[in-house]
Structures are given as C-alpha cells and as structure tokens.
Amino acid sequence: MTGYAASSCEIATDSGVFACQWEIRSVNGRGLDLRFRLPDWLEGLEPALRKRLPEVIKRGHVTTSLRVTRREHSEETASDNPDHSAAHGLNGQALDAALALLRKIETHAAAHHLTLQPVSAADILAMRGVIDSGPDLSAAAPLVAALLDHATPLIADFDANRAAEGAAMAQVIDRQVITIAALVHEARAAASERRMDQHIALKSALQRLQETAPHVEAGRFEQELALIAVKTDVTEELDRLEAHIAAARLLLAAKQPNGRKLDFLMQEFNREANTLCSKAQNPKLTRIGLDLKTVIDQMREQIQNLE
C-alpha cells in the first residue's frame, strides 16, 4: 500500500545542535520489505526502527530516510546516507601532532644516517585523527534516543496516510464487489433462459440420433444427453461466486489487515469465472463470464495495494 510521511526536527545535545529531516514512503508489495537510508554512525537507530515499523505495517516496500546536519561551527557537518556519515574536515590539533611526530621521526632518522621517503599530503591525511569524519560516536546515544522520540509521531502520520489511502481503495473495491454481484445475478437469469433453450436443443438432438441410429436403445441416448446437461450446468459456480462475494464483504468490513486473504480470494473468484465461461455454451452467458473476468482482474490489481 502506498503511503508517505515527512517531518523535520532540531535536537540539542552535548556534542552540538542537530537538524534532522525524516521521510518514510511505501509502495505495494506481496510481503514486508523494510529499507533504510540512515547515517551509519547512529548506532542502534535502525534496529529500533525495524522493531517499531512492523507494529503498524504488515505488507509493502517501505523506505525510511534520515538526513542529519550538525551545527556546531560556522561550517555545517552533514550526514544523509549510509556511505557518507559526515562531511570530512581537518582536525587542527591532530594535524599539528602528526606533523610534529613526522619531524621527530625525520630528526631521529637523520641522527642514524637514514634517508626517508618524502611524505605526501595523502600520507598525512591517512594518519589517524587528522580527518574529522563526523560526530563523536560516543555521543550518538542521546541523539539516537531523541530521534526515536521524534520518529513516533512520524510513524503515526505515515500510518494515518496509509489508512486514508486504504479507505479510499476499499470504496473502489466495494463497488467492484457490487458489480460482480450484479453480474452473478444476471448470469443466473441467463442460465435459466439457457436451460429452456438447451432442453429444446437436446430434445431435437435426441430425435435426430434416434433417426440416424434406430438400432441403439433410446435410453442410451437419453443418458448421454443428460450427462451433457449436467456437465454444462453452472449452478455450483454461481453458488460459489455468491459465497466469495459474501466473504469479500466480510474481509473489507474487518478492522485488521486482510490483503493476503483478499488476494487468495481473488484466485477463487477467477477460477469460478473461468469455469463459467468454459461451461457457458451460450452467447449471453459467455459475455457475462467475460465481464466477470474483467472486473475480477481489475479488483485483483487494486487488492495488490492493500495491506
């Protein structure tokens, strides 16, 4: 089921002030697929969200994104995807310490008459601590806790958005169920009309058979024709379609998610419509069967979007 929610917040911690932008979006899917685009330095955030989201959603592809911007200095440090947790910057103190260490090593090497390879800027940047890669991981816990507090109303808004979408879709599906019910009623009338025509046709066929094969017992012909009439009877298919209609209405009226059950029920609807078409042997009944298949297929596409 499609759904969307977004929110922004600002959180102050001992390590700085953070601006956060949340977004949750979902599309239909047969199962539940949770995907996250979160800063990887916020340890514990993803597991907590993986636990919370299934409490409100059971089906669909759900993507949760978070962008975090730290506002400690005049320059901002941003973190908006799992591959780049923050914009890189130089740590002045660590750089001074690294350069001092290099000078000490060069002096010591010269005292021992050793010649060292020139050190490049890339070598210096690779030294631990020279590049400040983002917020202090040890200070992330308070931020994670605050973010989870802000995630609670966001998830509620997301659920409400999906509920509104589901209510609108339920109305569409309910109208399709009404159409199916009307077609089944029309099919019963057509089957009743066909029964009279079929009786006349079978009686005429019996006469022709008796004329062309007088040596065959009449009872044998009657048995074969009766068997044909039984094989083309659609009463059971129409009864099952009416039972499926009642089941669909109960599932649509229920409060709990029933997308999977409705999805299975659509297979049963389609099976009965196919059998009806194969047994029709009547233009009007065939047309009704094809109309049924069309509506059922449209209904199945809608139900794929339901939780």
Side-chain angles (χ1 to χ4, degrees), residues 66-137:
L66 171 65
R67 177 181 173 83
V68 178
T69 304
R70 186 177 63 175
R71 297 173 178 170
E72 284 187 297
H73 311 290
S74 58
E75 295 183 357
E76 294 184 343
T77 301
S79 173
D80 59 358
N81 64 68
D83 296 321
H84 300 87
S85 63
H88 298 303
L90 287 176
N91 185 322
Q93 292 181 348
L95 178 59
D96 290 341
L99 293 175
L101 180 61
L102 287 173
R103 283 194 296 269
K104 185 176 180 179
I105 293 173
E106 288 176 349
T107 301
H108 191 70
H112 288 76
H113 308 288
L114 296 175
T115 302
L116 302 179
Q117 290 288 339
V119 178
S120 67
D123 295 330
I124 297 173
L125 290 175
M127 297 179 70
R128 185 174 181 179
V130 173
I131 293 180
D132 182 5
S133 61
D136 182 6
L137 297 183

Side-chain angles (χ1 to χ4, degrees), residues 13-302:
T13 69
D14 293 340
S15 58
V17 177
F18 296 85
C20 312
Q21 293 82 42
W22 284 100
E23 182 181 86
I24 305 180
R25 60 174 68 240
S26 69
V27 295
N28 60 296
R30 297 184 66 86
L32 179 58
D33 178 23
L34 298 178
R35 303 177 184 180
F36 297 90
R37 297 185 69 249
L38 309 174
D40 56 4
W41 53 272
L42 293 175
E43 294 183 2
L45 182 59
E46 181 175 330
L49 291 173
R50 283 191 179 278
K51 183 177 179 181
R52 289 191 183 186
L53 285 170
E55 295 175 357
V56 298
I57 181 170
K58 308 299 180 184
R59 193 183 191 196
H61 298 287
V62 185
T63 302
T64 303
S65 302
L66 171 65
R67 177 181 173 83
V68 178
T69 304
R70 186 177 63 175
R71 297 173 178 170
E72 284 187 297
H73 311 290
S74 58
E75 295 183 357
E76 294 184 343
T77 301
S79 173
D80 59 358
N81 64 68
D83 296 321
H84 300 87
S85 63
H88 298 303
L90 287 176
N91 185 322
Q93 292 181 348
L95 178 59
D96 290 341
L99 293 175
L101 180 61
L102 287 173
R103 283 194 296 269
K104 185 176 180 179
I105 293 173
E106 288 176 349
T107 301
H108 191 70
H112 288 76
H113 308 288
L114 296 175
T115 302
L116 302 179
Q117 290 288 339
V119 178
S120 67
D123 295 330
I124 297 173
L125 290 175
M127 297 179 70
R128 185 174 181 179
V130 173
I131 293 180
D132 182 5
S133 61
D136 182 6
L137 297 183
S138 63
L143 179 59
V144 170
L147 285 168
L148 287 173
D149 288 340
H150 284 278
T152 299
L154 174 72
I155 294 173
D157 289 344
F158 173 69
D159 190 39
N161 181 266
R162 293 173 65 254
E165 176 78 9
M169 289 174 55
Q171 293 180 355
V172 173
I173 295 172
D174 187 60
R175 289 194 293 269
Q176 290 170 333
V177 172
I178 292 173
T179 301
I180 291 174
L183 286 170
V184 170
H185 179 76
E186 187 179 350
R188 283 199 183 278
S192 180
E193 294 173 4
R194 187 199 65 169
R195 191 174 296 114
M196 294 300 298
D197 295 338
Q198 193 177 45
H199 178 74
I200 295 173
L202 290 175
K203 188 175 181 180
S204 176
L206 177 60
Q207 282 185 333
R208 291 197 301 272
L209 288 171
Q210 289 175 337
E211 291 173 359
T212 56
H215 58 283
V216 179
E217 295 181 5
R220 176 66 182 275
F221 289 128
E222 291 174 354
Q223 289 175 2
E224 293 297 325
L225 293 175
L227 184 60
I228 293 173
V230 170
K231 287 183 177 180
T232 58
D233 183 48
V234 295
T235 302
E236 289 186 10
E237 286 70 29
L238 296 176
D239 289 343
R240 282 194 287 267
L241 281 169
E242 288 185 342
H244 297 337
I245 290 168
R249 285 172 170 163
L250 287 175
L251 291 173
L252 288 171
K255 299 300 181 182
Q256 68 271 21
N258 281 318
R260 288 181 181 274
K261 293 180 180 180
L262 283 166
D263 197 13
F264 173 76
L265 189 60
M266 295 316 301
Q267 300 178 32
E268 301 304 309
F269 267 110
N270 195 54
R271 182 178 292 109
E272 302 305 333
N274 284 333
T275 306
L276 177 65
C277 288
S278 66
K279 287 185 174 183
Q281 296 186 1
N282 174 273
K284 185 175 182 180
L285 199 54
T286 299
R287 189 267 304 167
I288 295 171
L290 293 175
D291 288 346
L292 269 171
K293 286 175 60 65
T294 300
V295 179
I296 290 168
D297 190 55
Q298 293 171 348
M299 185 174 166
R300 181 168 53 185
E301 289 182 3
Q302 293 291 344

